[in-house]
Amino acid sequence: MSDTGSGERIERFRAARASVLERISAACRRAGRDPATVTIVAVSKTVPPDAIRDAVAAGLDVLGENRVQEAAAKIPLIAGARWHLVGPLQSNKARRAIELFDVVESVDSVALAERIDRLAREVRPGIRYPILLQVNVDADPAKAGLAPAELEAAALRIAGFETLELRGLMTIGRLVIEPEAARPTFRRLREVSTGLRDAGLPVGPELSMGMTDDFEVAVEEGATMVRVGRALFGERHHPD
Ligand SMILES: *Cc1c(COP(=O)(O)O)cnc(C)c1O
C-alpha cells in the first residue's frame, strides 16, 4: 500500500475486509453455513507495524504471522489484536512464540506439542494454550505437517499434555491455478477432523484452511478460519 494518510488507509482496509467478508458470506450461503462461524486471520507478514495498526482499526483484529523473529519486532508495537503463528516453528523459538502468539496453528509434531506444553506452563500459567495440528493432507514433501494417518496417535499423546488445548487442524492447500483444484485437500481435512471426533478423540472442530486464492472453496468445505494476506494487504513486495 502507498503512504497515504492513516485515515484513508483505514478506509481501504475497511473496504477490503468488507469485500472478503462478503465473499465468505456468499460461500456460506452456497454451503448452508452461518458466516459467523468463519474467522478471518489477516496474515500480515511483510506488512509494517503502522499499516497493521490501521488494519486493526478497520476491524482486522485477528492477525497471522509466519516468522517468530519478524513477529517479535512487530507485535509489541500493535495493541488490540490476537495473534496466530501460521508458519513453521523451530523448537528453540518455542518460548518466544508462546510469549508473542495467542495460538500456534502450525504444530507439526508431537515433540513440538510436548515442548509447547512444558513451556506454556511457565510462560502462560493458568490457561490451556491453544494449538492446531498442521496436516500435510497431500503428502507434499515440500510441506510440513503430520500425515492424516498419524493424527490419531498424535491426538492421544497430546490429550495427555495438560497445558494444551487441541482446538483443531490446519492445512496449507497445494499451489493451484484454479481454486477448485484445492477442494479435495480441504474436503479431506474436514473428513479427517470429523473422523477423529467420531472416534472419540479430543480434537476441537477448528479447521484453518484457505488463503487469498482459494478461501471461498475452503469455506464451502467447512473452514472455520481462513488465513488471508494479499486480498487484505495487497501483493507482497518481498518474497516471504
Ligand atoms: C502467507 C500465508 C498465508 C496468506 O497467503 P495469501 O495468499 O497472501 O492470502 C496463509 N497461510 C500461511 C501459512 C502463509 O504463510
Side-chain angles (χ1 to χ4, degrees):
M1 299 230 167
S2 60
D3 316 347
T4 49
S6 188
E8 197 176 309
R9 192 163 58 190
I10 293 171
E11 278 318 308
R12 265 188 289 146
F13 281 132
R14 261 197 243 287
R17 174 173 178 268
S19 158
V20 169
L21 281 173
E22 180 43 53
R23 290 165 64 188
I24 289 170
S25 290
C28 282
R29 278 194 295 279
R30 292 192 291 275
R33 297 187 58 200
D34 175 2
T37 61
V38 183
T39 298
I40 298 175
V41 179
V43 179
S44 55
K45 62 190 181 199
T46 78
V47 179
D50 60 330
I52 301 176
R53 259 190 241 116
D54 287 345
V56 175
L60 294 165
D61 56 3
V62 181
L63 293 161
E65 287 281 337
N66 70 333
R67 289 186 173 174
V68 175
Q69 204 169 329
E70 180 184 344
K74 297 188 329 192
I75 291 179
L77 306 177
I78 299 153
R82 295 181 57 76
W83 294 88
H84 291 212
L85 179 62
V86 300
L89 177 57
Q90 291 161 4
S91 61
N92 63 344
K93 294 192 175 138
R95 178 186 293 275
R96 192 77 186 105
I98 298 162
E99 289 167 354
L100 291 164
F101 290 94
D102 299 289
V103 182
V104 176
E105 293 197 12
S106 44
V107 175
D108 58 6
S109 70
V110 171
L112 179 59
E114 187 168 23
R115 187 169 173 82
I116 295 173
D117 176 61
R118 193 154 33 78
L119 291 167
R121 212 166 298 164
E122 292 169 46
V123 177
R124 300 258 188 167
I127 67 155
R128 288 181 69 201
Y129 187 82
I131 63 164
L132 305 183
L133 278 180
Q134 183 171 345
V135 185
N136 191 352
V137 173
D138 301 315
D140 178 346
K143 266 193 222 126
L146 291 153
E150 296 173 315
L151 287 173
E152 183 166 335
L156 282 171
R157 288 284 312 284
I158 290 169
F161 301 158
E162 291 176 359
T163 317
L164 293 188
E165 181 187 353
L166 179 49
R167 289 232 177 123
L169 305 178
M170 176 270 222
T171 199
I172 300 177
R174 61 186 130 184
L175 204 59
V176 291
I177 314 261
E178 283 294 314
E180 195 55 39
R183 188 182 298 277
T185 305
F186 300 147
R187 180 170 297 171
R188 181 88 199 285
L189 191 71
R190 168 171 43 85
E191 289 168 352
V192 163
S193 168
T194 308
L196 291 167
R197 273 189 307 291
D198 287 350
L201 291 157
V203 180
E206 299 288 354
L207 287 175
S208 174
M209 56 192 196
M211 322 203 298
T212 289
D213 291 330
D214 53 21
F215 69 86
E216 289 146 302
V217 173
V219 168
E220 287 171 9
E221 292 300 331
T224 64
M225 298 176 188
V226 290
R227 306 180 308 268
V228 180
R230 289 167 298 131
L232 296 166
F233 294 106
E235 291 298 321
R236 286 181 286 275
H237 301 297
H238 310 288
D240 53 305

